Amino acid sequence: MLEQFQPGLIFVTSVALVGVLVALFPLFARRARRPAFPAAAVLETEEPERQSAGV
């Protein structure tokens, strides 16, 4: 009996997998933008302020 439903089950499963990948993509993209060391992020954000202040 499941042989008749097999194409529909494959389609629904593939759509669900694509949905999971689309939902997880922003998490991986956000993780890639984070610096490895938090101190490096502080130094990068402070640097333009020091240059504009003439220090």
Side-chain angles (χ1 to χ4, degrees), residues 12-37:
V12 169
T13 304
S14 62
V15 169
L17 289 175
V18 169
V20 167
L21 292 176
V22 168
L24 291 178
F25 180 73
L27 296 176
F28 292 122
R30 195 176 307 157
R31 182 177 293 170
R33 286 184 292 187
R34 286 188 187 161
F37 300 101

Side-chain angles (χ1 to χ4, degrees), residues 1-16:
M1 184 173 172
L2 283 179
E3 290 176 13
Q4 296 172 349
F5 292 113
Q6 188 173 6
L9 292 173
I10 291 172
F11 176 75
V12 169
T13 304
S14 62
V15 169

Side-chain angles (χ1 to χ4, degrees), residues 30-48:
R30 195 176 307 157
R31 182 177 293 170
R33 286 184 292 187
R34 286 188 187 161
F37 300 101
V42 172
L43 293 176
E44 289 175 4
T45 57
E46 289 180 1
E47 195 64 32

